[in-house]
Amino acid sequence: MKETKLQTFLPAIQLLDITKPLTKQDLLIDAFLIASEKELSMYYSPHNEFINDQAKLIIVGITPGWYQMKVAFEQIRQYLALKQNLSLDHILEKTKRAASFSGTMRKNLIDMLDQIRISQVLHIPDAASLFDVNRDLVHTTSVIKYPVFFQNKNYTGHKPKVKQSPLLTTYAYGNFVDELNQIKSSALVIPLGRMVEEILQHVLKSGNLTKHVYLFGFPHPSGANGHRIRQFNQNKPLFSSIIQKWERNS
């Protein structure tokens, strides 16, 4: 397999207790700390290691939150404990399937994807299948690959701004761009929320991402986003136009 951070953190993962739900006291510890900067802390999570370079659709968040991190660790420790002779690559792929935009956020995201009829373009039954039998069509990722916490709370992209942090800048404008360039086809990229969109707009101006099509104006699917439905409904005609153009040219 390609060298990944999983191999670095595997010994600590194997020490996790598989008999109980994981807590922040289990995971937000030095053993999983990647870097810290002032009031920011970045921790390892295994679900963004796998890159589906055959994807037709790319869904991008700002950074994994605590819930996704918890699900990813609980999944991977179960797979490792089963000892089914799965390769680490396969374990990472299965972990990603379970943890990507997990919880209410995934439900809201699926609902919006169904409304813009993404399933018709991709010739699949419905958007929910992108997280199940048609997972090979989608690559889910984050501008900042690993979970980041500001004052021990989920980082939202607002404080500090990404450009105000050398650590976050390295991931958003370096690692993330490299990742998108690994996708082989001209994919439809859906940035979730304004902060992700701003970063992608900046990268596009630099000329470092040219082959993909971007669905700007898509709201973040978090239930905490009170403007989600209104923003989505306002932009639906634009989304349809962009998707139709992408379908014709892909």
Side-chain angles (χ1 to χ4, degrees):
M1 65 174 289
K2 295 178 181 178
E3 182 72 22
T4 71
K5 284 189 181 295
L6 174 62
Q7 292 157 315
T8 300
F9 293 100
L10 196 54
I13 293 173
Q14 290 172 323
L15 291 175
L16 292 171
D17 185 351
I18 65 170
T19 65
K20 65 180 183 67
L22 296 174
T23 67
K24 289 185 177 181
Q25 286 69 38
D26 296 313
L27 299 182
L28 302 189
I29 59 175
D30 288 347
F32 296 118
L33 184 67
I34 291 176
S36 58
E37 179 186 276
K38 297 182 180 178
E39 295 178 285
L40 291 173
S41 300
M42 177 184 288
Y43 291 90
Y44 177 73
S45 182
H47 73 284
N48 267 343
E49 294 274 23
F50 176 77
I51 298 175
N52 178 14
D53 61 9
Q54 302 297 316
K56 303 296 183 186
L57 180 69
I58 305 172
I59 304 174
V60 186
I62 186 70
T63 184
W66 159 249
Y67 184 74
Q68 285 177 273
M69 181 182 182
K70 168 183 159 68
V71 171
F73 271 101
E74 289 180 344
Q75 289 293 321
I76 200 166
R77 70 177 184 173
Q78 293 292 344
Y79 291 134
L80 291 170
L82 289 173
K83 301 185 184 300
Q84 293 179 325
N85 295 320
L86 296 174
S87 69
L88 290 183
D89 279 334
H90 195 188
I91 288 173
L92 287 170
E93 182 178 358
K94 288 170 76 70
T95 300
K96 189 180 188 79
R97 287 180 179 229
S100 296
F101 302 111
S102 48
T104 305
M105 188 160 44
R106 182 185 290 189
K107 179 181 179 295
N108 293 339
L109 177 59
I110 287 170
D111 178 62
M112 289 190 285
L113 292 176
D114 276 332
Q115 289 189 55
I116 59 175
R117 301 181 178 180
I118 199 71
S119 59
Q120 293 184 11
V121 179
L122 295 175
H123 308 292
I124 57 177
D126 51 37
S129 71
L130 289 168
F131 296 92
D132 189 14
V133 295
N134 295 116
R135 193 64 172 79
D136 59 309
L137 294 175
V138 65
H139 177 57
T140 55
T141 189
S142 301
V143 166
I144 302 159
K145 184 174 185 174
Y146 299 111
V148 174
F149 299 89
F150 176 74
Q151 296 178 344
N152 295 319
K153 296 180 181 178
N154 286 344
Y155 174 69
T156 63
H158 295 280
K159 188 177 181 181
K161 297 284 190 183
V162 170
K163 284 188 177 181
Q164 295 172 333
S165 162
L167 172 63
L168 301 183
T169 296
T170 296
Y171 277 85
Y173 295 100
N175 299 38
F176 172 62
V177 176
D178 292 342
E179 181 178 337
L180 284 198
N181 282 327
Q182 290 183 50
I183 309 299
K184 299 185 185 302
S185 66
S186 175
L188 179 68
V189 181
I190 302 182
L192 300 182
R194 186 169 58 84
M195 302 311 299
V196 179
E197 183 171 320
E198 286 180 5
I199 290 166
L200 273 169
Q201 292 276 22
H202 182 80
V203 173
L204 284 169
K205 287 179 183 177
S206 71
N208 290 329
L209 287 173
T210 56
K211 64 182 178 181
H212 301 309
V213 175
Y214 298 86
L215 204 66
F216 291 127
F218 202 92
H220 196 283
S222 168
N225 181 4
H227 303 291
R228 181 184 81 249
I229 296 174
R230 178 175 56 81
Q231 181 185 348
F232 179 76
N233 287 333
Q234 285 177 344
N235 290 338
K236 262 203 290 192
L238 174 62
F239 297 155
S240 296
S241 174
I242 294 171
I243 290 169
Q244 288 171 10
K245 183 178 179 181
W246 171 66
E247 183 183 18
R248 288 196 301 269
N249 295 330
S250 61

